[in-house]
Amino acid sequence: MSGWQPVRRTRTFEEVIAQIERRIADDGLRVGDRLPGERQLAEQLRVSRSSVREAMRVLETLGVVSSQVGRGPDAGALLISRPAEALSDLLRLHLGLANLSLEEVVDARLMIEKWSVSHAAVHGADLSALTAALERMDATTTAEEFVEHDTAFHVAIAEASDNRLTTAMMLSLRDSLRRYAVEAVERLGDTAGLMADHRRIHRAIAAGDAAEAASAVEDHLRRAYPGISRPPRAENDEGLEGQQGRSDRVG
């Protein structure tokens, strides 16, 4: 692989990452392709192998490569694709550090999911995955099981929008909220209301009613996170101010 340039930076691993990004773009590399081995890459970039290893650790954390130890043709890091998993890890970390409030994450999910259901309704999406998730939710006996199939339902909505980035973002948001979702279901005690919401969403998409689908999703999230999800400011300024102090917890 040609086109590598010597590195001249204090934080060498950052320039290593930058050059890997450029080679991916310039050489048209795709998922499943391999980068040069650690020793070869260090020699071509004229940096230490430790700088290459540090760059690979960062890229592995971001879900760009899988740094498997190998020899010969299998020596280089493998380009992979797991954006949702990497985003989930980062979101959980920032939630734990209070860099993001739960309210912000729920709001982001609401924006993404309203678009997704509207798009799915307009384009007549396949609803088989949604139907299967509904049936499984009906048969659950614990909050954890319910949330597992609830997650499948909402991710299926994103997949029905036929946008891979939206799907990855939705999956990561749902995964990062899993613990809070279980707490919300346990707090509600009865999942009948949530199931009614899900069936309403399903019917709206099946009927091609984008506005009703978006409204159903919004009502559903307000039921699940009554102390978190915010009504629009124009509808209830006073209520929003009263809720801001509760943005770090469910219910």
Side-chain angles (χ1 to χ4, degrees), residues 78-94:
L78 184 70
L79 294 174
I80 61 174
S81 178
R82 56 176 184 88
E85 183 179 337
L87 282 170
S88 296
D89 293 342
L90 290 172
L91 280 171
R92 279 197 302 271
L93 178 61
H94 284 289

Side-chain angles (χ1 to χ4, degrees), residues 81 83-84 115 158-159 161-171:
S81 178
W115 181 87
E159 291 174 340
S161 73
D162 200 26
N163 184 303
R164 288 178 296 173
L165 180 56
T166 299
T167 300
M169 293 173 67
M170 185 61 196
L171 184 58

